[in-house]
Amino acid sequence: MSDNKKAAVLGSPIAHSLSPVLHRAAYAALGLTGWEYGRHEVDEAALPGFLEKLGPEWAGLSLTMPLKRAVIPLLDEITPTAASVEAVNTVVFTPDGRRLGDNTDIPGMLAALRERGVDKVERAAVLGAGATASSALAALSRICTGEVTAYVRSAARADEMRGWGDRLGVTVRTAPWEDAAAAFEAPLAIATTPAGSTDALAAAVPDRPGTLFDVLYEPWPTALATAWADRGGAVVGGLDLLVHQAVLQVEQMTGRSPGPLAAMRTAGEAALAAR
């Protein structure tokens, strides 16, 4: 197939993004020889003008921070999944020029967990309270049958997480960050914090812990992920999430399903190893 189409990832900063590596690997595996995938530094102020300049050759966009919420008023429609967390990471352009927004982070999380045999848990813990934490709560709303404890650094963040829980139908209990080691008692712990934030917790990992989902992919492995694996626990990493959400983006933008998961993961691993 040789239709000439374009797609790209937008954000600021964007130089670190692995999305071009993953999407280009998918195009090669699918035989989409005329497809291009780029990377553009775009902030909130520049986003409307960037979208207006796109022609009919554009198939879609991947969005990272700070654009996931800023793009919503510029779209014709968003999916219920994206609306549930007020965040869009995928824009698809229809043949009639409409802009459709979706969030593949949430189903990407679920797919990454399912790949490691986690499709239902009785309770869970979330470390952090940012945008990724709200996506984690949305994913947990589908697989967690009991309470989710969120470990946060401020009262404002605690209120935020309880608000997301109410909105998403998840029972959320909040606890101070100083008690974060207690998260490891849950069968599933999801770390959504920036690099280095959980390093000091590595020594608190118990023997034979449950499953850790650490959303970081660089640096990898984190100190927490290393300690977790050393003590016999299952670890899901940020690259797993990145690849699974990117597969869903490729499927939506190209109309080809299933996306080439293995080829994309191999390309991502090679790119990280070369850094």
Side-chain angles (χ1 to χ4, degrees), residues 43-241:
D43 61 16
E44 294 165 284
L47 182 59
F50 186 94
L51 290 177
E52 287 302 320
K53 292 178 182 178
L54 301 183
E57 74 277 13
W58 282 83
L61 298 169
S62 308
L63 302 178
T64 186
M65 298 304 291
L67 305 179
K68 293 184 179 184
R69 291 197 170 124
V71 75
I72 292 176
L74 308 176
L75 303 176
D76 296 297
E77 182 182 346
I78 65 173
T79 64
T81 299
S84 72
V85 290
E86 297 179 355
V88 165
N89 77 329
T90 307
V91 176
V92 175
F93 302 111
T94 66
D96 60 357
R98 286 169 55 80
R99 302 169 181 169
L100 307 181
D102 194 13
N103 185 307
T104 63
D105 287 331
I106 296 166
M109 282 185 174
L110 292 168
L113 286 166
R114 195 180 309 118
E115 187 177 38
R116 303 301 172 86
V118 180
D119 54 14
K120 192 70 69 179
V121 290
E122 295 179 355
R123 59 192 175 92
V126 175
L127 300 172
T132 306
S134 62
S135 293
L137 283 182
L140 289 170
S141 73
R142 306 184 190 186
I143 65 169
C144 185
T145 59
E147 184 179 77
V148 176
T149 303
Y151 293 86
V152 299
R153 295 185 183 274
S154 70
R157 289 296 199 179
D159 289 343
E160 229 176 90
M161 289 298 280
R162 285 192 295 266
W164 280 116
D166 291 342
R167 177 172 180 163
L168 295 164
V170 181
T171 301
V172 175
R173 181 178 73 85
T174 57
W177 184 259
E178 291 74 21
D179 297 337
F184 306 154
E185 298 170 9
L188 171 62
I190 304 180
T192 69
T193 50
S197 299
T198 61
D199 288 358
L201 296 172
V205 177
D207 289 335
R208 294 183 295 280
T211 299
L212 171 70
F213 194 157
D214 194 328
V215 303
L216 290 172
Y217 63 84
E218 192 175 21
W220 188 261
T222 63
L224 180 60
T226 297
W228 202 277
D230 287 347
R231 289 166 174 76
V235 176
V236 184
L239 183 61
D240 298 311
L241 168 59

